[in-house]
Amino acid sequence: MSHAPVRHRLRSRASLLTLGAATAALVAGLLTWPGAPHADAAPATFVHPGVTVSRSQLDFTRNKVNSGAQPWKGAFDRMAASKYADLNRTPKPRAIVECGSYSNPNNGCTDEREDAIAAYTHALAWYITRDERHAKKAIELMDAWSAVIQDHTNSNAPLQTGWAGSSWPKAAEIIKYTYTGTWANSGRFATMLRNVYLPEVINGSNSNGNWELSMMEAAIGISVFLEDKASYDKAMAKFRTRTAAYVYLSSDGELPKTVPSQNLNTREKIVNYWQGQSTFVTGLTQETCRDFTHAGYGISAISHVAETSRIQGQDLYGTDVGERLRHALGFQAKYELGAAVPAWLCGGSLHLGLGPVTEVGYNAMHNRLGHAMTNTQALTERNRPAGSNNLFVAWETLTHGDNPN
């Protein structure tokens, strides 16, 4: 197992630990070095709602929207006008969702992802407006799928499960822990997550890194909802290893870190896996030279897991995860904004299109931790209010834009 460099600052939630206390905490398993295979990451008591968005963040957002403040009011209006907020939406569940490469065949793939995003959208709309119709619509969507779905099949099944499985628990957390009405089938929904989604994602993937990162996002979110410490820890350990292997830092050495199960044990294999890129610079991702859209999927999943971990009491932003996220955002943002592409980078040609993925990481690393992120800030503000990528990202200017909580 390759270990990422020890660059993070050891900290408790309120104050810096002394070196002695940090050592004791490590021995006790309270903290872990980046990439450690047996991270005791799960909290003693799970925080709810606690998948990507916390109650204090939701309260901040609600107050800003209801007072007409920008950019939150504009972000809410964009969400409210979207197809996902339609109170007449009819769920389209099916027993078997079959997704091939690039969604060919697409038997329920789009329907599942979009119903999951819609459930999350209605959950947010419920919290902000207190209009019960939105809570009931979110429940209708979740109940429809939990009554029917049995499996995901074909080559894209792990990724599809990761994408849909990232949105479902975000919706479920808000409804279960803030809705004042009843959700009679919440137990059935939990059983669906445990039996249909979690087994498909928990063991990870040796495909391009965005797959495993999205799968671990789903696994960690599901684990929070299920209060499953074992699966949370397993997913978090895989996430830490994959993040270190997805975003390069110069402190990693001459070559990027690798995931041991992939046997990338020569420079040639690593270069090939990094889309033919042979010059490694801080902030480059494993998929930068593929296209920015896929790199954005990976970056977004990293930010979502880091945010969930922070809510649950283990702040990964102060570890190499935060460093990699910050530099990945900055590197990609620079070129997304139009910087000239040097010949050594991806043969001098990039496929742009990062997507609405910068708000969570920017808010954490710039607003909370005070890092200057000039390019990321410019891109984030240019793209506001951020919408949805129609896969697993939605409404992050609303939930995380300049949100101090």
Side-chain angles (χ1 to χ4, degrees), residues 283-285 287-288 292 295-296 299 327-337 352 354 379:
L284 183 79
T285 81
E287 296 184 271
T288 297
F292 273 30
I299 292 168
H327 288 296
L329 284 168
F331 186 87
Q332 266 63 218
K334 174 182 176 181
Y335 295 105
E336 188 79 10
L337 289 167
L352 303 178
L354 192 62
L379 181 62

Side-chain angles (χ1 to χ4, degrees), residues 333-350:
K334 174 182 176 181
Y335 295 105
E336 188 79 10
L337 289 167
V341 183
W344 58 263
L345 178 60
C346 309
S349 177
L350 295 171

Side-chain angles (χ1 to χ4, degrees), residues 109-335:
C109 315
T110 301
D111 291 338
E112 180 189 30
R113 293 193 306 265
E114 296 194 350
D115 275 351
I117 292 173
Y120 176 53
T121 301
H122 283 287
L124 288 173
W126 142 253
Y127 198 91
I128 292 167
T129 68
R130 293 301 196 268
D131 183 338
E132 268 200 303
R133 294 177 300 168
H134 288 295
K136 290 176 178 177
K137 180 58 68 171
I139 289 170
E140 178 190 346
L141 289 158
M142 292 188 285
D143 283 354
W145 281 88
S146 69
V148 172
I149 190 167
Q150 298 173 11
D151 199 9
H152 298 85
T153 63
N154 214 317
S155 59
N156 260 31
L159 183 61
Q160 171 71 20
T161 310
W163 282 341
S166 294
S167 296
W168 286 130
K170 288 193 289 189
E173 282 279 301
I174 295 172
I175 294 300
K176 182 174 181 179
Y177 292 100
T178 75
Y179 177 48
T180 50
T182 58
W183 180 17
N185 291 313
S186 63
R188 188 180 72 194
F189 185 82
T191 298
M192 175 193 80
L193 293 181
R194 182 177 296 283
N195 295 343
V196 179
Y197 288 81
L198 192 56
E200 187 69 46
V201 296
I202 191 64
N203 292 317
S205 166
N206 286 326
S207 183
N208 282 298
N210 82 86
W211 278 51
E212 186 163 85
L213 290 166
S214 289
M215 291 162 69
M216 292 310 105
E217 178 187 343
I220 287 164
I222 289 168
S223 297
V224 170
F225 186 73
L226 298 177
E227 298 197 327
D228 186 329
K229 294 181 181 181
S231 62
Y232 186 101
D233 288 351
K234 181 176 181 178
M236 190 63 76
K238 283 189 175 296
F239 168 79
R240 296 292 294 272
T241 300
R242 175 61 69 175
T243 299
Y246 193 72
V247 182
Y248 177 80
L249 296 177
S250 60
S251 55
D252 292 339
E254 180 187 354
L255 295 172
K257 294 186 173 300
T258 61
V259 174
S261 60
Q262 294 190 264
N263 297 312
L264 299 175
N265 51 12
T266 68
R267 179 181 179 86
E268 182 182 13
K269 288 181 180 179
I270 292 171
V271 168
N272 182 62
Y273 186 60
W274 283 63
Q275 321 294 328
Q277 178 68 12
S278 59
T279 300
F280 301 102
V281 297
T282 292
L284 183 79
T285 81
Q286 182 254 315
E287 296 184 271
T288 297
C289 294
R290 181 186 184 186
D291 58 65
F292 273 30
T293 301
H294 284 90
Y297 298 164
I299 292 168
S300 181
I302 292 169
S303 72
H304 292 164
V305 172
E307 193 72 357
T308 296
S309 79
R310 185 186 70 89
I311 295 166
Q312 297 303 326
Q314 186 200 46
D315 194 343
L316 293 181
Y317 290 119
T319 73
D320 78 303
V321 172
E323 280 293 286
R324 293 177 197 279
L325 175 60
R326 177 168 70 94
H327 288 296
L329 284 168
F331 186 87
Q332 266 63 218
K334 174 182 176 181
Y335 295 105

Side-chain angles (χ1 to χ4, degrees), residues 30-53:
L30 298 175
L31 297 173
T32 57
W33 301 122
H38 301 295
D40 291 329
T45 303
F46 284 98
V47 176
H48 304 290
V51 178
T52 311
V53 181

